[in-house]
Amino acid sequence: MDLTLRQLVFLEHEMEKIVNSKDRDSEGRSYASSVLERVEEELQRKEGQHNI
């Protein structure tokens, strides 16, 4: 799945909110954390391509 930069930034923001939410269970926060890592890696990759 290829996401746009805007979609990735949105996902990053939403996953950060879930990870930092005390109202979420630990399983949900853990899942969001792993998604956040992948989103951040993809953002770095896209930004690297953009700077070339």
Side-chain angles (χ1 to χ4, degrees), residues 11-52:
L11 280 174
E12 179 184 40
H13 175 73
E14 292 301 311
M15 292 302 105
E16 286 174 344
K17 287 185 354 186
I18 292 170
V19 168
N20 295 327
S21 175
K22 300 298 180 198
D23 297 330
R24 300 284 184 148
D25 62 12
S26 63
E27 183 179 0
R29 288 194 317 266
S30 177
Y31 180 72
S33 178
S34 67
V35 172
L36 179 59
E37 286 178 24
R38 294 185 67 184
V39 167
E40 289 173 338
E41 289 171 4
E42 184 66 14
L43 277 169
Q44 289 177 354
R45 187 184 69 77
K46 282 197 181 270
E47 289 172 352
Q49 287 178 348
H50 183 71
N51 291 333
I52 294 177

